[in-house]
Amino acid sequence: MLAAAIALADAQGIQALTMRRLASDLNVEAMSLYYHLPDKEALLDGVVETVIAEVGRLDPNGGDEDWRTRLRQQFLAARQVMVRHPWVPGLLGSRRTIPASVYGYYDGIVGTLVGAGFSYHLAHRALHAFGSMPLGFAQEIFSPESAGGSMEVDAAEADLAVMAAALPHLTAMVAAEVHDSTDPALGWCDSQIEFEFTLDLLLNGLERLRG
């Protein structure tokens, strides 16, 4: 059922995912879904858990590489999952609770850092610096469309265009940053190039702090 829900969201967006539509795709009565899930919120939580489990199963090279290479490849592999399911970053940000699988996933990251010689104190700082990057996307500080927030490129740029006179430097920066249409983006300022630049900057900085 959750796999069908993810397939529906992939095909038509998360807004299309309703209990009634999912039941139709599964050729069952909508009420029968409530034997498995109490409401749509439970369905969305289940969808998030399923995608995070997909991220958590990633282990590109089996652990033989150094810590930077391991985390870099792990985060980029997580990004591949998010690119396959581009609606997930926005959904993750809307959840009222953090799925248990997210804690387990981050516990593994801390284990990698501590195993490489980092103190728990510095590992904690690293998690704050990484933010959502271990999950394959960058959570932006701006939330366009103030009525509800959005990660859409067009929405963010439209908001800035309205305020162009008051925000000359941000407007000029956005105008200079024209993204290549082949560069996968998960938000208005989260392209693959930007993601890798930020990730490498953090990993190299942490290596210097490790001493």
Side-chain angles (χ1 to χ4, degrees), residues 107-176:
D107 185 77
I109 293 169
V110 172
T112 296
L113 291 169
V114 171
F118 287 85
S119 67
Y120 281 109
H121 174 72
L122 190 52
H124 177 220
R125 295 287 178 86
L127 290 188
H128 277 287
F130 288 139
S132 60
M133 296 191 81
L135 298 175
F137 65 96
Q139 185 67 55
E140 288 302 319
I141 58 172
F142 297 115
S143 181
E145 294 183 328
S146 57
S150 171
M151 295 183 73
E152 294 297 324
V153 175
D154 292 343
E157 293 184 352
D159 280 358
L160 283 176
V162 171
M163 298 181 286
L167 305 170
H169 297 297
L170 282 176
T171 303
M173 181 187 71
V174 170

Side-chain angles (χ1 to χ4, degrees), residues 1 11 20-21 32 45 49 53 62 68 87 103-104 109 115 118 121 137 165:
M1 180 170 59
R20 184 179 300 275
R21 178 58 193 277
S32 68
D45 285 342
E49 285 276 7
R68 277 187 296 178
W87 44 271
Y103 287 113
I109 293 169
F118 287 85
H121 174 72
F137 65 96

Side-chain angles (χ1 to χ4, degrees), residues 168-191:
H169 297 297
L170 282 176
T171 303
M173 181 187 71
V174 170
E177 288 293 303
V178 178
H179 296 140
D180 190 323
S181 60
T182 62
D183 185 14
L186 287 171
W188 78 284
C189 201
D190 177 20
S191 71

Side-chain angles (χ1 to χ4, degrees), residues 42-168:
L43 171 64
L44 294 177
D45 285 342
V47 163
V48 168
E49 285 276 7
T50 302
V51 174
I52 296 303
E54 185 178 348
V55 171
R57 287 192 296 270
L58 299 172
D59 190 5
N61 288 298
D64 294 331
E65 59 285 331
D66 67 57
W67 75 272
R68 277 187 296 178
T69 300
R70 179 170 179 76
L71 290 185
R72 186 179 194 278
Q73 293 179 344
Q74 182 176 341
F75 296 178
L76 289 175
R79 185 170 179 84
Q80 292 177 10
V81 173
M82 293 300 154
V83 169
R84 285 199 295 271
H85 312 299
W87 44 271
V88 172
L91 180 60
L92 275 169
S94 73
R95 296 297 83 207
R96 292 191 294 268
T97 59
I98 300 173
S101 56
V102 172
Y103 287 113
Y105 179 68
Y106 275 88
D107 185 77
I109 293 169
V110 172
T112 296
L113 291 169
V114 171
F118 287 85
S119 67
Y120 281 109
H121 174 72
L122 190 52
H124 177 220
R125 295 287 178 86
L127 290 188
H128 277 287
F130 288 139
S132 60
M133 296 191 81
L135 298 175
F137 65 96
Q139 185 67 55
E140 288 302 319
I141 58 172
F142 297 115
S143 181
E145 294 183 328
S146 57
S150 171
M151 295 183 73
E152 294 297 324
V153 175
D154 292 343
E157 293 184 352
D159 280 358
L160 283 176
V162 171
M163 298 181 286
L167 305 170

Side-chain angles (χ1 to χ4, degrees), residues 72 76 133 191-204:
R72 186 179 194 278
L76 289 175
M133 296 191 81
S191 71
Q192 185 74 22
I193 291 173
E194 289 161 348
F195 184 90
E196 293 192 33
F197 173 84
T198 305
L199 177 57
D200 289 339
L201 195 67
L202 289 168
L203 293 173
N204 291 336

Side-chain angles (χ1 to χ4, degrees), residues 1-14 16-18 21-22 25-26 37 43-44 46-47 50 87:
M1 180 170 59
L2 292 174
I6 291 170
L8 174 57
D10 285 343
Q12 299 189 30
I14 193 62
L17 179 56
T18 65
R21 178 58 193 277
L22 179 59
D25 282 7
L26 292 170
L37 296 166
L43 171 64
L44 294 177
V47 163
T50 302
W87 44 271

